[in-house]
Amino acid sequence: DQCLALLVMTFIPDAPQAVKEMRRVTRPGGVVATAMWDTAGGNDLNDSLWEAALPFDANAPQEKDQPGSYGSAEELSSLWASAGLKNIEVKNIGFECGFDSFDDLWQPLTEGQGPAGAYLRGISDDHRMAVRNRLRQNLLGNRADGPFALRAKAWAVRGVVP
């Protein structure tokens, strides 16, 4: 009835073929859908790390610069249309992500998950600490550590199997 793949399209080597396979295994009239982080800007959850890294590394691999990130309405709509899906709908999703402290945000990044985690794992300890300090300064300024929120943006796309 449905085939969903959330936040993974950018990691699939042949995303167009993957969407065609999603369509193939879904019954006629069924829904094929995904959601991907917005890479066009204004996604503070993801953008904040890259903004902190750029002063130390002009070549920091921002997601918006990676082909096949599928981080825009146009990219997702085109991907779904190329698989022959019909009644394609794309929706922007925005929400706040709350953190209890700076380390609540930072710690998962250091575990290597996603492009940000891979980047942090691939730089020296000194470079990582400089990025950490800049990110903390950018997010909290001079105030004491404590709860804060970052705006997150994603795109959701759905299409119907003819």
Side-chain angles (χ1 to χ4, degrees):
D1 291 341
Q2 300 175 10
C3 190
L4 313 172
L6 301 178
L7 303 174
V8 299
M9 286 298 157
T10 194
F11 303 109
I12 299 173
D14 189 347
Q17 184 59 40
V19 178
K20 288 175 185 171
E21 183 65 9
M22 292 168 69
R23 176 189 168 190
R24 186 189 70 76
V25 301
T26 306
R27 69 165 175 78
V31 173
V32 175
T34 194
M36 292 298 300
W37 292 119
D38 183 317
T39 58
N43 181 4
D44 297 336
L45 180 64
N46 291 341
D47 294 346
S48 61
L49 176 76
W50 303 120
E51 290 168 4
L54 283 173
F56 305 104
D57 182 359
N59 297 315
Q62 300 182 67
E63 291 179 24
K64 66 182 173 123
D65 297 330
Q66 295 178 7
S69 67
Y70 303 105
S72 71
E74 295 78 18
E75 287 177 303
L76 285 172
S77 182
S78 176
L79 182 62
W80 255 230
S82 73
L85 295 163
K86 303 297 180 199
N87 303 326
I88 297 169
E89 297 176 22
V90 181
K91 180 180 178 184
N92 187 264
I93 302 168
F95 54 96
E96 296 287 319
C97 290
F99 299 93
D100 292 331
S101 66
F102 178 77
D103 281 339
D104 191 27
L105 167 69
W106 181 253
Q107 184 58 40
L109 293 173
T110 64
E111 295 171 1
Q113 182 179 354
Y119 174 75
L120 289 175
R121 284 253 170 127
I123 59 178
S124 71
D125 290 342
D126 289 344
H127 188 170
R128 190 170 29 262
M129 186 56 68
V131 171
R132 180 192 186 283
N133 291 339
R134 173 63 63 104
L135 178 60
R136 188 187 187 292
Q137 179 65 37
N138 289 354
L139 295 177
L140 300 177
N142 293 323
R143 75 175 177 87
D145 197 2
F148 66 97
L150 293 174
R151 181 106 176 116
K153 285 175 48 180
W155 290 101
V157 63
R158 70 183 301 276
V160 176
V161 176

